[in-house]
Amino acid sequence: MLQHIAHYNDFTPEFIDELEKKIDSFGKVVRYRFDIEKPNPDKEHYNGKTVFPQMYTLDPAVFNITDKHEKRTGKQKVKTVANIKTAEMNEHGVLIPTFNKIRIKAGARGVLRLDLTVEEDRDICRQLELHPKLKNGEFADSQRVPVVTRVDEVADATTARVERGARLTALNAVNEMSDEKIREFAAGMQWDDTQEIEVLRNQAETLADSEPIFFNDVIKSGNIEYQALVQQALNKGVIVFDQAEYKYSWGGNKQPITVLSPTGEKSHIEKMGEFLKISANGKELAKKIKSLTSGKAEVAV
């Protein structure tokens, strides 16, 4: 634990217990990311787009926090935190401490890795968890620019595994799609579904690989087939969309089908697809549109 010397690190047992349990929850290793890089002034970017200082020292090395558990007689809730290296009395009986400062070299590229089985590293971890510049830290100072972020190893690993599993599911889904389903998917995504099938399949695979969670959500929603139907029906002239009045009508007799709300981020294709999917007569309407759209010639309704 950070040495308790004089008024430094005079924490309550309850405070210490909470801090130690928190650090134990990190596992054997924890990493902290320092936002200290700057754009590389070299136009050739020989060493990358960003550069790091040769040596960065986190300040302040000494700071105050509040120990909410403090109720002992003669003790103050405000505590002075410091990682003390040495503490000696001068000839006047005044304690002169020196402090271990948190430093990170350029070669680490802003990432400090701490082995929590090593007491020195654990003290650095304690200091960082209490530091006013720790982003979203319990004792973060709103008046200071946050510089340090703790990397949540478990969360990162969980996220990576979820994304990896989602990517596998998404790519398998594309692989199992027939050419007809690929064109349907392309139309539903408002791509040009008249392109060569290999081009469309590549687009679908690219989306599945780069945004697997989004891709899987689109497939699971069941909306894509309705959106595809709307797009294909528009292409065939079976239905028409009036942007000014934000309404759909039959392409032949111009009789209105429905008026949609222009508000929101979804496109008129997505909104019409939802209308067909969830409205009372939507399924029957979708069957009629599909029947007319499947014809080779444009249909007058």
Side-chain angles (χ1 to χ4, degrees), residues 70-234:
E70 186 58 82
K71 296 178 181 178
R72 296 173 294 179
T73 303
K75 301 286 187 178
Q76 295 184 348
K77 285 183 177 291
V78 175
K79 308 296 183 182
T80 301
V81 180
N83 191 346
I84 299 173
K85 184 177 183 180
T86 62
E88 298 179 356
M89 292 288 186
N90 65 12
E91 65 273 20
H92 303 292
V94 177
L95 183 70
I96 305 297
T98 60
F99 307 107
N100 287 312
K101 297 183 178 180
I102 297 174
R103 293 187 171 94
I104 184 167
K105 296 180 180 180
R109 300 195 65 77
V111 177
L112 180 63
R113 181 183 183 277
L114 300 175
D115 182 347
L116 298 180
T117 65
V118 177
E119 190 59 25
E120 290 81 358
D121 279 12
R122 197 173 177 94
D123 259 351
I124 294 173
C125 179
R126 294 178 181 115
Q127 190 176 1
L128 285 169
E129 286 302 312
L130 303 177
H131 204 278
K133 289 186 178 180
L134 177 66
K135 186 176 182 179
N136 298 322
E138 183 179 351
F139 302 96
D141 185 346
S142 61
Q143 302 303 311
R144 298 175 185 266
V145 177
V147 176
V148 190
T149 305
R150 175 166 27 88
V151 179
D152 191 329
E153 304 282 357
V154 175
D156 281 3
T158 300
T159 300
R161 293 192 66 199
V162 168
E163 290 184 351
R164 194 176 298 115
R167 185 172 292 105
L168 180 61
T169 299
L171 290 171
N172 284 340
V174 175
N175 188 53
E176 292 173 2
M177 284 183 181
S178 64
D179 289 353
E180 181 182 356
K181 283 294 182 182
I182 286 289
R183 288 199 183 280
E184 179 182 275
F185 181 80
M189 293 299 296
Q190 299 171 59
W191 300 341
D192 179 5
D193 63 321
T194 64
Q195 297 182 88
E196 293 293 330
I197 193 62
E198 288 304 313
V199 174
L200 296 177
R201 190 173 290 279
N202 181 64
Q203 282 185 264
E205 288 174 348
T206 299
L207 180 63
D209 187 48
S210 61
E211 299 183 58
I213 295 176
F214 168 74
F215 179 93
N216 291 333
D217 287 345
V218 168
I219 296 297
K220 289 177 184 177
S221 70
N223 294 336
I224 201 71
E225 60 183 281
Y226 290 98
Q227 291 170 202
L229 177 59
V230 173
Q231 184 65 67
Q232 291 165 346
L234 284 169

